[in-house]
Amino acid sequence: CKGCMGTAGVCGKKADVAGLQDKLTGALIGLARAVGSNTEPTEHTYQLLIKGLFTTITNVNFNENTLQALIDEVHAEKQNLLPSCPSCAW
């Protein structure tokens, strides 16, 4: 969050949005670890990974509610794939 500490970063997002994007990135890492743990990912799993990466890398969405909903969806998908994965908790 070094570039988004004030009222808005260079791209226009605020620090709270940057924090949610960081949480989303962490959730995606956890989901990727679950996928790599001998599970059966679905098409939805792959689409969710792509959607999450696109959202954070391209800065296309600064809506806090949408970002939180995506974080929750990623956590739910990870839980469906691998409910008790200590290395997947981000």
Side-chain angles (χ1 to χ4, degrees):
C1 280
K2 292 197 186 270
C4 302
M5 296 302 288
T7 55
V10 239
C11 62
K13 71 179 159 191
K14 297 180 180 178
D16 52 350
V17 170
L20 286 170
Q21 287 182 332
D22 290 346
K23 286 182 182 181
L24 178 56
T25 300
L28 291 168
I29 291 169
L31 181 56
R33 286 183 176 172
V35 168
S37 298
N38 201 22
T39 61
E40 291 293 326
T42 65
E43 183 65 27
H44 175 70
T45 306
Y46 294 123
Q47 289 176 355
L48 191 54
L49 284 165
I50 291 167
K51 181 179 178 182
L53 288 171
F54 182 81
T55 298
T56 56
I57 292 170
T58 61
N59 281 326
V60 297
N61 190 335
F62 293 163
N63 183 291
E64 295 172 42
N65 294 328
T66 305
L67 288 168
Q68 186 59 57
L70 190 52
I71 292 166
D72 295 342
E73 187 177 359
V74 170
H75 284 302
E77 184 69 14
K78 184 212 52 108
Q79 192 68 18
N80 286 338
L81 289 174
L82 200 60
S84 58
C85 177
S87 69
C88 301
W90 277 75

